[in-house]
Amino acid sequence: MSGITTSRQALRFKGKSYLALVLTPEAPLEAWLEDLLDLSTRSPGFFTTRPVVLDLSDAGLPPKDVKALINALDRMGIRVMGIEGARHLKLPAGMPPVLNGGRKTGDVEAQEETASSRAPKTGSMIVENVRSGQSIANGDGDITVMGSVASGAEVIAAGSVHIYGALRGRVIAGAYGNPHARIFVKKLQAEFLAIDAVYLAAEGIDPELMGQSVQIWSEDDTIKLSNLR
């Protein structure tokens, strides 16, 4: 045997940070899950575009109920990447990792990073109607639809959405963390509206604005609508 030895380079790991959507269960848990199911049903792409963290700091759930909750979220298509506020719990094997030290999105620094890193880049134009069952998405910028968006159709954009016909389906603007995005509609008959993480279902829309030309924006965690003149 030779006396030659070889050395291997040590493993190196890189760190990255990601902006996650934090879900905080509220009592009664059944009603909270119903609200999430309503949102995920109306807009299947809403949760698939971003990582999700489950914050159990104030939930007071035993480990078996935490597992049942994660299974319920998974059935809705909501995949939990980590659990916060659960270091005191002995969770069963196979659960998402326990996280700690997450930074709140209310911090000015975090908001500035979000706005700059998610700025819209490229617009998309759809020159025909968006039919029921279709899902149109642009992860880089605005979407302009020259026709109408049918009931059961969905338009998702990182930036703003402009619809020159009737909106009968669902629209999510600012879908990747842009709260300044807007929605412009020639004829409002929407099933569902959302900007960033703020949404409004059809029953919450002022009936007087139905059928009107409107602009839609987010302000103080509320969806605002006004007539276009």
Side-chain angles (χ1 to χ4, degrees), residues 142-213:
D142 297 353
I143 292 181
T144 299
V145 179
M146 301 303 296
S148 296
V149 178
S151 175
E154 183 175 65
V155 176
I156 305 172
S160 297
V161 176
H162 307 254
I163 299 174
Y164 285 85
L167 169 59
R168 302 184 179 92
R170 303 180 296 270
V171 169
I172 301 174
Y176 304 92
N178 180 8
H180 305 295
R182 294 201 173 206
I183 302 170
F184 301 89
V185 179
K186 180 68 174 177
K187 186 177 182 181
L188 180 66
Q189 297 173 316
E191 297 173 335
F192 178 89
L193 301 166
I195 296 176
D196 193 17
V198 184
Y199 72 95
L200 179 67
E203 54 268 24
I205 300 174
D206 184 348
E208 293 186 2
L209 292 175
M210 284 295 193
Q212 303 295 312
S213 296

Side-chain angles (χ1 to χ4, degrees), residues 61-71 89-92 95:
L61 296 176
K64 63 180 182 64
D65 288 349
V66 173
K67 185 174 183 179
L69 174 58
I70 291 177
N71 289 338
L89 297 176
K90 293 183 179 180
L91 298 177
M95 299 285 280

